Amino acid sequence: MDRENYDDIAPYTGERAEQAVRTLREHPQILRNFATILLDPTLLTYEQDVNGYTQQIIEKLKDTHSYDDFQRYITSGYFIPSVLKRSVTEFSHSGGKDLDKSESYLYFSNHRDIVLDCALLDYALLEDGRQLCEMAIGDNLIKNKNIELLFKLNGAITVKRSLPLREKYLDSIHLSQYFVKKITEDRKSIWVAQKSGRSKDGIDKTAPGIIKMLYLSQRRAGVSFSSLIRNCRIVPVAVSYEYDPCDINKGREEVWRNLNKGEYSKKKYEDLINLIRGLRKFKGRVHISIGKPLVEKDYKDQYEVTADIDRQIHLNYKLWPTNCFAYDFLEKTDRFKDVYADFDKDAFLARYEHLKPAVRNSVLNAYANPVRSYLSAL
């Protein structure tokens, strides 16, 4: 794989990674700014925590020379443990028994949080002794050079979203080539969200266009669709949060879209605010479920592939009491009452009693929809 052809979208490797690490060591304010985002400013020890956190990372950067090093020592060594300690009561993961630890895969996951979905998958893979994965992210998240540096050191593949139609098509071919070559030639795993943007309504459906994009470069090369899917070794992943830290904001956005024919215009710093909220706010229990690779079937088109990805995600999604109670409450049934027997239902409903009825209903449905998806997948 000729990596220079993909410098515009690829994560930092080799000398570029080394230079990025030197930049972080020489400009600790970048890491300090990151620490202020990650840590809770309401704590009395906030300033002390920020200084200590920054200094620990700078010290660990002495052993960091690549994306894998950054993931192991910084992201999984400091970033994820800090998030879990402050906002997660229990983290667990399952599956992956059908995966070869020496093999590369294309992980397709549902998308609930801007950065945590992939970061937590990498954390689970690392705990299981499996290779880490690069992650595809939209260029809308890269607001400045410092954010780009941190993302690129963290394995980010840039998806260019604001191009004119002709350029977007050419870039899709470029991206397709990178994905396929990275997995089949470089033997490196990649994470991609099943659709553009986080799920706002709790309905996890894979966009067929992503699979279509994957095939663009291979169709030109004469590779059959079924061969491409088999060679990419797609693995569905279900990420389940007991509490969505952005649930109310997502509910408001859904109501706005419904009132404005699907249109929603983001405010200037909305992505950054949601990113910070996702990192800091309470999530309760979180579970990662790694599915089985789609390698045993001859797929005819992208719709067959997305149907199998969705089915695994819907069946493997960890249904928490928040999901089951919301479903029973809205459907006026007690089908899942055993799941939430010890759950504080009144406290859960009280979280949303201040909202307008339409927003409250949207939030509760977002919790209930994974149950509906599960029942449909059965």
Side-chain angles (χ1 to χ4, degrees):
M1 179 179 177
D2 187 353
R3 299 186 183 188
E4 290 186 3
N5 289 338
Y6 305 98
D7 277 350
D8 60 322
I9 61 173
Y12 292 155
T13 57
E15 177 54 33
R16 296 179 82 196
E18 294 273 13
Q19 178 57 53
V21 171
R22 285 196 294 271
T23 299
L24 288 178
R25 292 182 63 187
E26 293 168 4
H27 299 85
Q29 187 60 39
I30 299 174
L31 292 171
R32 181 178 172 80
N33 291 341
F34 175 65
T36 61
I37 289 176
L38 184 62
L39 303 176
D40 188 349
T42 64
L43 297 177
L44 294 176
T45 59
Y46 175 65
E47 194 65 29
Q48 180 181 344
D49 291 344
V50 168
N51 292 335
Y53 193 89
T54 304
Q55 193 54 48
Q56 286 175 338
I57 294 178
I58 291 173
E59 193 63 30
K60 204 62 184 177
L61 284 173
K62 294 177 182 178
D63 302 318
T64 303
H65 307 283
S66 66
Y67 152 67
D68 275 3
D69 287 345
F70 195 87
Q71 270 286 354
R72 292 175 190 278
Y73 302 141
I74 309 302
T75 304
S76 295
Y78 289 98
F79 167 52
I80 294 300
S82 293
V83 172
L84 296 180
K85 180 181 178 181
R86 290 171 170 81
S87 65
V88 175
T89 56
E90 178 186 319
F91 174 71
S92 57
H93 54 91
S94 61
K97 295 179 181 178
D98 299 283
L99 307 186
D100 184 340
K101 289 188 177 182
S102 65
E103 194 55 274
S104 55
Y105 296 94
L106 176 55
Y107 295 99
F108 262 79
S109 90
N110 58 330
H111 193 22
R112 298 302 181 87
D113 185 85
I114 292 175
V115 296
L116 279 182
D117 297 340
C118 178
L120 290 172
L121 171 62
D122 261 346
Y123 193 71
L125 293 173
L126 191 61
E127 285 195 339
D128 275 352
R130 303 181 188 280
Q131 70 154 281
L132 305 174
C133 52
E134 295 182 2
M135 59 176 178
I137 66 164
D139 59 0
N140 57 298
L141 295 178
I142 302 175
K143 301 295 186 183
N144 57 50
K145 287 295 182 182
N146 291 341
I147 292 176
E148 180 180 32
L149 185 149
L150 288 171
F151 269 126
K152 289 294 187 179
L153 257 182
N154 226 9
I157 306 163
T158 306
V159 180
K160 301 173 184 177
R161 293 202 168 140
S162 54
L163 296 173
L165 194 59
R166 172 65 178 170
E167 290 181 38
K168 184 173 288 189
Y169 174 73
L170 294 174
D171 188 69
S172 292
I173 295 175
H174 186 52
L175 193 63
S176 168
Q177 289 172 335
Y178 181 83
F179 270 54
V180 177
K181 287 178 179 289
K182 198 68 182 178
I183 293 167
T184 62
E185 295 180 18
D186 246 16
R187 318 298 286 183
K188 181 70 177 178
S189 294
I190 293 175
W191 171 90
V192 63
Q194 66 177 168
K195 60 183 177 182
S196 175
R198 298 165 300 151
S199 171
K200 312 299 192 305
D201 56 10
I203 299 175
D204 300 314
K205 297 287 287 183
T206 305
I210 298 178
I211 304 297
K212 186 178 180 180
M213 177 279 294
L214 196 64
Y215 186 50
L216 280 177
S217 64
Q218 302 307 291
R219 182 176 58 190
R220 285 184 161 194
V223 178
S224 70
F225 183 81
S226 59
S227 295
L228 164 77
I229 300 304
R230 191 176 295 110
N231 292 340
C232 284
R233 295 178 290 277
I234 292 173
V235 176
V237 176
V239 186
S240 314
Y241 298 89
E242 185 174 19
Y243 290 90
D244 187 332
C246 296
D247 52 9
I248 293 175
N249 296 74
K250 289 179 179 180
R252 287 173 174 149
E253 182 176 330
E254 273 299 287
V255 170
W256 179 271
R257 287 183 188 277
N258 292 334
L259 292 174
N260 293 275
K261 301 179 180 179
E263 296 295 326
Y264 179 77
S265 179
K266 287 184 180 179
K267 298 179 177 64
K268 185 175 181 180
Y269 295 107
E270 189 166 345
D271 283 331
L272 180 59
I273 291 170
N274 285 326
L275 186 152
I276 294 171
R277 184 178 283 113
L279 293 175
R280 286 181 182 169
K281 297 296 183 180
F282 182 68
K283 289 167 276 292
R285 291 172 288 183
V286 180
H287 185 78
I288 301 281
S289 180
I290 301 172
K292 297 181 178 181
L294 308 185
V295 295
E296 297 179 355
K297 181 176 174 180
D298 287 329
Y299 290 94
K300 296 177 182 178
D301 56 34
Q302 63 265 33
Y303 302 104
E304 285 191 351
V305 177
T306 57
D308 277 0
I309 292 173
D310 291 349
R311 187 170 189 276
Q312 285 201 42
I313 289 176
H314 295 161
L315 290 175
N316 292 335
Y317 193 97
K318 178 77 172 178
L319 297 175
W320 301 110
T322 49
N323 305 116
C324 295
F325 171 70
Y327 174 85
D328 276 1
F329 178 78
L330 293 172
E331 298 293 334
K332 295 180 173 54
T333 180
D334 60 359
R335 180 171 184 168
F336 294 97
K337 62 181 180 180
D338 292 342
V339 177
Y340 55 85
D342 299 321
F343 179 61
D344 192 337
K345 302 178 283 293
D346 292 335
F348 178 69
L349 291 174
R351 288 166 59 95
Y352 313 111
E353 64 183 5
H354 66 287
L355 301 175
K356 294 180 180 179
V359 176
R360 177 175 176 271
N361 189 60
S362 179
V363 172
L364 292 178
N365 270 293
Y367 280 104
N369 278 331
V371 182
R372 296 183 178 116
S373 296
Y374 169 78
L375 294 175
S376 295
L378 287 177

